[in-house]
């Protein structure tokens, strides 16, 4: 056997520069009982909770390789649901940062999430047009609602009616009944996409936003509540009802458009949000204007109506006296209108486009508005409801990240600092903890390349306007701006002797510079400062895209727009070789440490490896699915990194031409890759605004050994994986985890059956249990089955049971009566029995032996569930008795009572003392 080449694995070790992803929403979070201070935002694959008082990260919910698309905090403040672009939902515990459960049901990105008022259920909408209801406590799916023809844009619980309302890009708003799992009402009053819909004012109104400048306000009238409604509030549904409205007398819900709110912003509605009390409505579009509306209480609305009527009567009386109107004109009708219900607050004009908002109304009447902006910024604003006009910016977080996407990255020679440059600033980062050390504002038309100067105290940055910037990294100031090129500076690097640098520009020139120390031109210091002196210029026929000097200081290689790489002698600029073979321009190139190999990356998605001696192409590799934008050799090796517009970062071996490892780097294009000294670390930057760090580990890497990803497997458009049961639509989908669970169940039953056979044949002699049973700590096949079922993720259990063959399901049914006699895990066994009966109903009823087992399961399950119900009821009433005893003593208060106002507490105590006492004889 020949010797194998061993590599060391690179692993992601940090993601920074990202404050808030523009594709994800934001939400207020309560930590340690404090509200209004913390805002959670999505940051690529992580969720960051920002402390808006200190401007620091309070907590990070870690993700893996999938970008976060939606987040939602539970009303209790203990959990947070995080939806990803692959359709999965993770529920995190905010106390210990652990994942409580994973829901797999959608096939594409999650677009909206919403908890019910108790935080026990979660509803999700996705781009796959599906709405799914999840049970947080049971960790499983409840129902899948299919009916929309476009991506779902918003979902909300109507808690008072046990319903769900959803809006979609198919122009419809649908109401779903959770009990019957069907759509009982479709609202079709929109001509274009419905981008957002929210419930407001105790779930009595529905506000929808579409492509136009108006927000439509709908009144929800439930036929069961008509008798209980006040006459004045009933009048609102009559006002401004169009003749074309279809009012179905037999419908449970009557939806009438009662008016519109005219927006001041431009473009379509991007999002609508309300505070948890459903009093304040925020609206924002494709511009930077945030509009706020208040839905008044019934008393305030009545006062506003009376004032309006009084003014209108005075105006009418004056017109009658002047003779402008007829004396017989009728009086002003006393009807409540939308203008009486809604009051506009001050609008907030922000610096750039809004991406999300979150509202929180305090008990003192202070409204706190958290916003995330398109320029990687999080802001917190405050508004006093009494004033209604003055908006204060409490905090603005901008320092931990570039406001525009970074285009280049560099690592210092000691691997301690990282430099990143964007169109607005240059930032210096501490590699160990990924914190920003220095920020240098620059304006150079967009930085395209950067490198540390020898000594790591200074940095060189090439600008889009052709200028060369000399920066003092330690002092965070711009030393000099050198007009190096007439067009964009595309490449920059140090000469091998470290005495100078080179630049290549779109003005068809490559220039060589020499470092020198000159007196400080500002006169602030007597110490000399670094400068550059232009020495030589190489004129070319095409714009320059990439430049590199060989480490032996002999050749200079230039990538040109004509898809070729020209190699010249460095000392005389005499032409040496022309490397041609790429079909599209070469964007990046690098030369190995021994000056024997040159690697080039092109827009044609290929990486070519050439020999420097004859210019022959050793290998052409189809490296990426999009343009190769960055390439760099690891020092003292023939390994190199490549970055591409497909977002991936790959490591290659230039000798064996193998792809060593693929790092799922960025959600968008990768613009730059840099390897540190010794190859210990590497960094990349991309269009998702993230800077990603990779560290070389001591773990050996075997080529071709790829980790199995837990990805969803689609089961067809009808999502009915059970043959012969097209009506069975599962809320979950088949995953690798479900297939593994089904295999483990079948293995468990086969091992248990074999062990039973061996025990029977031994005739009383001791038989050691199988190794698998011993590893699970079990001595009987029943215990082994229970442990196997317990280790299966709750969301994968039903999908695993669907994958089992019928004979395996029969074995489980025969085993369940004996398991129900044990008394523990009765709820789990009942779930198994009900689901298997639902799937295999006809064969089980037809088989007399199985039918007898089902009768036994029914009797024993009823007994066990009654025991559980009695235990829960006893505990609930015992806790209620303990609460009443504590309140009667007047010494302690329960948590809920302690947070209520003192007046409400006294009323509650008086009611408690007046409780009637019945004497039963």
């Amino acid at each position: 056997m020949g010797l194998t080449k061993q590599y060391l694995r690179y692993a992601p070790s940090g993601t920074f520069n990202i404050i808030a992803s523009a594709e994800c929403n934001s939400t207020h979070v309560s930590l340690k009982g404090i509200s209004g201070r913390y805002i959670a935002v999505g940051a690529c694959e992580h969720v960051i909770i920002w402390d808006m008082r200190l401007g620091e990260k309070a907590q990070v919910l870690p993700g893996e390789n999938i970008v976060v698309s939606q987040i939602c905090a539970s009303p209790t403040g203990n959990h947070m649901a995080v939806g990803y672009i692959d359709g999965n939902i993770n529920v995190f515990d905010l106390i210990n940062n652990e994942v409580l459960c994973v829901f797999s049901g959608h096939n594409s990105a999650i677009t909206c999430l919403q908890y019910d008022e108790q935080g026990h259920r979660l509803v999700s909408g996705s781009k796959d047009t599906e709405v799914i209801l999840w049970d947080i406590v049971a960790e499983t799916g409840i129902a899948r609602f299919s009916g929309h023809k476009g991506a779902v844009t918003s979902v909300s619980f109507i808690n008072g009616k046990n319903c769900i309302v959803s809006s979609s890009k198919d122009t419809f708003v649908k109401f779903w009944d959770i009990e019957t799992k069907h759509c009982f009402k479709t609202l079709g009053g929109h001509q274009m996409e419905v981008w957002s819909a929210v419930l407001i004012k105790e779930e009595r109104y529905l506000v929808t936003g579409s492509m136009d400048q108006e927000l439509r306000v709908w009144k929800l009238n439930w036929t069961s509540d008509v008798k209980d409604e006040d006459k004045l509030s009933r009048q609102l549904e009559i006002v401004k009802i169009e003749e074309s409205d279809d009012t179905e007398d037999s419908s449970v819900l009557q939806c009438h458009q009662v008016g519109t709110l005219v927006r001041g912003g431009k473009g379509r509605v991007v999002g609508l949000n309300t505070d948890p009390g459903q009093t304040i409505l925020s609206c924002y579009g494709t511009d930077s204007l945030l509009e706020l509306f208040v839905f008044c209480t019934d008393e305030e609305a009545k006062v506003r109506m009376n004032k309006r009527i009084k003014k209108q009567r005075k105006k009418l009386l004056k017109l009658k006296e002047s003779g402008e109107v007829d004396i017989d004109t009728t009086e002003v009708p006393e009807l409540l209108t939308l203008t009486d219900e809604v009051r506009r607050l001050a609008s907030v004009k922000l610096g750039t486009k809004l991406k999300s908002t979150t509202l929180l109304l305090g008990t003192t009447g202070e409204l706190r508005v958290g916003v995330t902006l398109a320029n990687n910024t999080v802001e917190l604003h405050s508004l006093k409801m009494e004033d209604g006009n003055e908006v204060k910016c409490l905090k603005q977080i901008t320092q931990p990240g570039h406001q525009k996407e970074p285009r280049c990255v560099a690592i210092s020679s000691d691997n301690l600092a990282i430099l990143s440059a964007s169109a607005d600033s240059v930032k210096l980062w501490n590699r160990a903890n990924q914190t920003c050390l220095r920020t240098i504002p620059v304006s150079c038309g967009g930085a395209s390349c950067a490198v540390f100067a020898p000594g790591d105290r200074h940095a060189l940055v090439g600008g889009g306007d052709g200028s060369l910037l000399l920066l003092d990294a330690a002092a965070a100031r711009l030393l000099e701006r050198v007009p190096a090129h007439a067009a964009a500076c595309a490449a920059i690097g140090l000469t091998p002797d470290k005495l100078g640098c080179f630049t290549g520009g779109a003005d068809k020139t490559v220039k060589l510079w020499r470092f020198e120390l000159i007196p400080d031109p500002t006169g602030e210091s007597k110490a000399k400062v670094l400068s550059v002196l232009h020495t030589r210029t190489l004129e070319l026929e095409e714009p320059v895209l990439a430049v590199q000097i060989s480490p032996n200081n002999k050749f200079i290689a230039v990538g040109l727009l004509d898809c070729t790489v020209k190699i010249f002698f460095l000392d005389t600029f005499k032409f040496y070789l022309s490397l041609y073979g790429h079909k599209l321009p070469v964007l990046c190139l690098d030369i190995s440490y021994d000056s024997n190999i040159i690697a080039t990356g092109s827009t044609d998605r290929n990486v070519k490896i050439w020999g420097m001696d004859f210019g022959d192409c050793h290998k052409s590799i189809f490296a990426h699915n999009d343009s190769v934008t960055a390439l760099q050799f690891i020092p003292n090796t023939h390994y190199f990194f490549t970055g591409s517009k497909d977002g991936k970062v790959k490591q290659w071996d230039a000798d064996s031409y193998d792809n060593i490892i693929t790092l799922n780097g960025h959600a968008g294009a990768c613009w730059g890759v840099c390897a540190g000294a010794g190859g210990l670390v590497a960094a990349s930057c991309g269009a998702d605004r993230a800077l990603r760090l990779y560290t070389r580990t001591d773990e050996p890497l075997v080529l071709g050994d790829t980790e199995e990803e837990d990805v969803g497997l689609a089961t067809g458009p009808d999502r009915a994986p059970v043959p012969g049961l097209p009506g069975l639509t599962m809320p979950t989908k088949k995953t690798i985890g479900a297939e593994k669970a089904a295999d483990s169940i079948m293995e468990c039953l086969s091992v248990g059956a074999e062990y039973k056979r061996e025990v029977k044949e031994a005739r009383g002699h001791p038989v050691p249990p199988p190794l698998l049973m011993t590893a699970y700590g079990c001595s009987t096949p029943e215990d082994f089955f229970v442990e196997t079922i317990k280790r299966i993720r709750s969301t994968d259990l039903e999908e695993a049971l669907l994958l089992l063959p019928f004979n395996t399901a029969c074995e489980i049914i025969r085993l369940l009566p004996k398991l129900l006699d044990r008394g523990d895990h009765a709820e789990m066994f009942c779930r198994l029995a009900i689901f298997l009966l639902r799937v295999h109903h006809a064969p089980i009823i037809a088989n007399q032996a199985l039918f007898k087992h089902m009768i036994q399961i029914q009797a024993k399950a009823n007994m066990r569930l009654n025991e559980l119900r009695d235990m829960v009821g006893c505990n609930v009433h015992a806790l209620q008795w303990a609460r009443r005893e504590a309140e009667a003593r007047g010494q302690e208060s329960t948590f809920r009572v302690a947070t209520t106002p003192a007046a409400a507490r006294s009323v509650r105590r008086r009611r408690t003392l007046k409780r009637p006492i019945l004497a039963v004889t």
Side-chain angles (χ1 to χ4, degrees), residues 738-815:
E739 293 183 346
K740 290 181 179 179
D743 292 340
S744 65
I745 293 175
M746 295 173 65
E747 184 182 22
C748 164
L749 293 175
S750 63
V751 169
E754 182 67 21
Y755 179 62
K756 285 183 179 179
R757 187 182 60 79
E758 292 179 0
V759 171
K760 186 176 181 180
E761 292 177 354
R763 296 182 180 180
H765 296 287
V767 178
L771 293 178
L772 195 56
M773 288 179 58
T774 305
Y776 277 57
C778 304
S779 57
T780 63
E782 290 79 11
D783 293 339
F784 185 32
F785 179 77
V786 173
E787 284 296 322
T788 303
I789 296 296
K790 284 168 57 180
R791 292 169 188 259
I792 297 175
R793 200 167 67 187
S794 181
T795 52
D796 290 334
L797 182 58
E798 293 184 353
E799 290 290 342
L801 294 176
L802 283 176
L803 298 173
L804 296 177
F806 180 66
N807 58 349
T808 305
C810 295
E811 293 181 30
I812 296 176
I813 292 174
R814 297 188 190 100
L815 194 62

Side-chain angles (χ1 to χ4, degrees), residues 418-459:
I418 296 176
L419 181 80
S420 62
S422 68
D424 62 322
S425 62
V426 175
K427 286 183 179 288
L428 191 69
W429 306 85
N430 185 339
R431 185 190 63 82
N433 52 18
Q434 289 101 47
T435 57
C436 182
L437 301 177
R438 302 285 188 273
T439 300
I440 308 172
V442 295
S443 58
C444 57
S448 56
C449 49
V451 68
F452 273 99
D456 297 331
R457 178 181 173 86
H458 300 85

Side-chain angles (χ1 to χ4, degrees), residues 453-454 460 493-502 512-517 530-533 535 553:
L460 306 172
L494 300 179
T495 57
D497 55 8
K498 307 297 182 185
L499 298 179
C501 65
F502 59 85
L512 300 182
W513 310 79
R514 188 178 74 243
F515 293 129
E516 62 176 9
L517 296 174
L530 184 69
S531 181
V532 291
L533 177 65
T535 57
N553 216 16

Side-chain angles (χ1 to χ4, degrees), residues 206-226:
L206 178 71
V207 182
T208 58
S210 185
M211 300 287 290
D212 50 15
Q213 298 293 112
E214 297 179 346
L215 302 179
R216 293 168 177 82
V217 183
W218 308 79
K219 176 69 182 296
L220 306 183
N221 286 330
W222 302 87
T223 55
S224 58
D225 297 341
V226 170

Side-chain angles (χ1 to χ4, degrees), residues 467-481:
S467 60
L468 174 63
L469 307 181
L470 274 75
L471 307 175
D472 188 342
R477 66 190 181 100
L478 176 64
L479 293 179
E480 188 178 1
R481 181 189 298 269

Side-chain angles (χ1 to χ4, degrees), residues 89 103-106 112-116 120-125 130-136 138-146 155-159 162-165 176-182 729-732 795 798:
I89 302 171
F103 296 131
S104 300
H106 293 286
C112 42
L113 288 172
Q114 184 68 42
Y115 276 97
D116 66 353
H120 296 164
R121 295 177 299 179
L122 178 72
V123 63
S124 61
E130 302 285 327
V131 176
I132 301 180
L133 181 64
W134 307 95
D135 190 335
I136 302 295
E139 300 181 6
T140 185
I142 299 177
R144 179 189 292 270
F145 303 106
S146 302
V155 287
S156 299
F157 277 99
I158 306 179
N159 295 289
N162 199 25
C163 298
I164 294 172
V165 57
W176 310 87
D177 188 351
I178 295 177
E179 293 293 334
T180 59
K181 300 180 177 60
H182 80 287
T729 304
M730 299 290 296
T732 55
T795 52
E798 293 184 353

